[in-house]
Amino acid sequence: MNRKENIKKVKRLVIKLGTSTLTYDNGLLNYSRIEQLVRNIADISNRGIEVTLVSSGAIAAGFGKMGFTEKPKNLPDKQASAAIGQVALLHIYQKLFLEYNKTIGQILLNSEDMSNRKRFLNAKNTFLSLFQHKIIPIINENDAVVVEEIKVGDNDSLSAMVSSLIEADLLIILSDIDGLYTDNPRKNINAKLIEVVPEINDKVLALANGEGTNLGTGGMDTKLKAGKIVNSYGADMIIANGSSENVLIDIMNGKNIGTIFLGRDKKISNKKNWISYTSSGEIIIDTGASIAIKNRKSLLASGIKDVRSEFDKGDSVKIIDECNNIVGYGIINYSSYEVNIIKGHNSNQIERLIGHSDYEEVIHANNLVII
């Protein structure tokens, strides 16, 4: 793998800045580091690369202004801190980016914006319009009002979802660690940095050790899960230390900094990537249906044995065989309530059972992703 050649191909980039990169240990913003990162991002944008910034730091910036000495633990204080901190953070970004003749736009997302296909496409169109007008989107979760049911939870996962949404070529996650090590470097001085990870498998996932800082929400495990998402559709991910001077410029110049996680050789379509990573329910199918799906056939009601969890028509669902193996994912044509009624029956009985028959297939072959 030639890292410099991989970097040269990058046309669309997502950069995730962790809380520990943007703040001091006391929770207050590190203005000098933010200014340097903004200068780096502006320079990368001037190269013709479409850059999206996923920024943590809102709660940390806010709780410092509220007089707390550490990240609040109860939800109202967290949300109040986010409300204050988001304003402060965006004001700083706007002021600094304007110095480099760059315009920014803010987008607040949650998991429903990704799981709902219509909202997903609307969000994507917003990004494309911003790119067309040379505007740098700055993304965060709406921490001031979001509830647990629709919360992404950490900005590592959010950055991966955004990368998937806009079909980025590279995700860079900057944190307070140099990359992935053979062991936890904070506990083992003999731990070695791994420069290249061809595939995030169980062995690699086992290397994730420990939590994030007292300011952040994500440790190495959340970063590796983010890597699995972006790698699966064909993009690379790099984890590097955000405190290193000009780290973003060095990365984009092809220097061996941090750990690079390589994407699959062939990119899958944005639609199929969405289907794979936004599943909201599960259905169990019989052996015959499993064979049919693997042969690129549609899933019919007759092949469904059971339904797990609730979902609506148009949701993406996980398809599981009788041995509890994941067969694939697909966009469902009926709700979980309706599937429970029509399961095991022939397609010509659907209208009699539920009063309508919009589709012969429960999941059409064109809306399937096969594992």
Side-chain angles (χ1 to χ4, degrees):
M1 190 279 301
N2 188 320
R3 183 184 288 208
K4 187 170 286 189
E5 291 302 314
N6 275 36
I7 297 298
K8 279 183 181 179
K9 298 174 185 176
V10 173
K11 300 298 180 186
R12 189 171 289 168
L13 169 67
V14 174
I15 298 168
K16 183 264 178 174
L17 303 180
T19 300
S20 59
T21 297
L22 297 172
T23 63
Y24 292 105
D25 290 340
N26 60 11
L28 299 178
L29 295 175
N30 185 335
Y31 294 111
S32 60
R33 184 175 293 161
I34 294 173
E35 194 277 334
Q36 182 188 106
L37 291 166
V38 167
R39 186 172 67 247
N40 278 198
I41 293 168
D43 184 88
I44 293 167
S45 176
N46 284 344
R47 301 182 187 192
I49 297 172
E50 295 171 342
V51 184
T52 295
L53 175 59
V54 177
S55 178
S56 301
I59 293 178
F63 81 68
K65 290 183 176 293
M66 290 182 71
F68 294 117
T69 57
E70 61 180 16
K71 182 179 176 180
K73 293 180 172 56
N74 68 71
L75 185 60
D77 284 344
K78 285 182 182 179
Q79 293 181 321
S81 297
I84 295 169
Q86 193 66 29
V87 175
L89 200 57
L90 262 292
H91 176 73
I92 294 299
Y93 279 133
Q94 185 175 50
K95 183 174 183 295
L96 292 175
F97 274 109
L98 280 175
E99 291 182 6
Y100 297 98
N101 200 30
K102 296 294 177 184
T103 303
I104 63 170
Q106 182 186 31
I107 301 178
L108 299 176
L109 297 171
N110 60 52
S111 63
E112 282 192 345
D113 297 314
M114 302 296 175
S115 60
N116 182 285
R117 182 66 177 166
K118 186 175 180 180
R119 288 166 67 170
F120 179 91
L121 293 174
N122 287 340
K124 183 176 182 179
N125 289 333
T126 300
F127 276 98
L128 295 178
S129 180
L130 291 172
F131 292 149
Q132 185 178 359
H133 292 88
K134 311 298 182 186
I135 295 169
I136 297 174
I138 297 183
I139 316 302
N140 203 343
E141 190 159 20
N142 196 356
D143 291 314
V145 296
V146 73
V147 294
E148 198 65 35
E149 288 77 13
I150 61 171
K151 191 172 178 63
V152 176
D154 65 87
N155 277 349
D156 294 327
S157 300
L158 182 62
S159 66
M161 291 179 181
V162 170
S163 299
S164 168
L165 172 70
I166 65 173
E167 298 178 82
D169 303 301
L170 174 66
L171 167 63
I172 298 175
I173 294 181
L174 297 187
S175 185
D176 57 353
I177 192 167
D178 295 331
L180 180 66
Y181 283 81
T182 54
D183 197 3
N184 189 334
R186 295 189 177 104
K187 298 178 180 178
N188 182 357
I189 60 173
N190 296 316
K192 290 184 167 61
L193 179 69
I194 303 170
E195 292 188 356
V196 181
V197 176
E199 179 190 7
I200 301 178
N201 51 30
D202 290 342
K203 186 176 179 181
V204 172
L205 289 172
L207 296 175
N209 192 0
E211 301 295 331
T213 65
N214 65 318
L215 299 175
T217 56
M220 184 56 70
D221 57 336
T222 66
K223 293 169 178 55
L224 294 182
K225 289 173 184 175
K228 281 183 71 69
I229 293 173
V230 297
N231 289 169
S232 68
Y233 78 84
D236 296 337
M237 181 181 79
I238 293 175
I239 298 175
N241 197 318
S243 65
S244 303
E245 189 173 356
N246 293 320
V247 60
L248 289 173
I249 294 297
D250 287 341
I251 288 173
M252 296 310 293
N253 285 340
K255 292 187 178 179
N256 288 329
I257 294 174
T259 302
I260 185 168
F261 301 81
L262 302 179
R264 56 188 289 170
D265 292 336
K266 184 180 179 181
K267 284 194 174 184
I268 65 173
S269 71
N270 196 233
K271 177 183 176 182
K272 289 193 172 183
N273 191 52
W274 175 83
I275 292 172
S276 300
Y277 282 96
T278 59
S279 59
S280 55
E282 297 180 355
I283 56 175
I284 314 301
I285 63 173
D286 62 26
T287 303
S290 179
I291 293 171
I293 284 177
K294 290 174 183 177
N295 287 321
R296 308 290 172 178
K297 303 293 184 181
S298 298
L299 175 63
L300 304 179
S302 58
I304 299 175
K305 293 185 67 66
D306 200 5
V307 176
R308 292 181 186 169
S309 67
E310 295 183 0
F311 48 81
D312 294 321
K313 172 184 175 181
D315 284 350
S316 171
V317 298
K318 187 184 296 182
I319 305 165
I320 301 172
D321 66 18
E322 294 177 277
C323 297
N324 211 35
N325 299 311
I326 300 173
V327 179
Y329 301 84
I331 298 176
I332 199 93
N333 288 330
Y334 295 94
S335 70
S336 54
Y337 173 78
E338 292 169 329
V339 175
N340 252 324
I341 296 172
I342 65 176
K343 65 186 180 185
H345 291 86
N346 291 328
S347 299
N348 58 15
Q349 296 178 291
I350 291 177
E351 185 170 6
R352 177 181 64 80
L353 291 167
I354 60 175
H356 65 93
S357 178
D358 298 330
Y359 305 91
E360 289 186 2
E361 311 88 357
V362 175
I363 299 177
H364 194 278
N366 292 340
N367 293 326
L368 278 168
V369 178
I370 311 304
I371 301 301

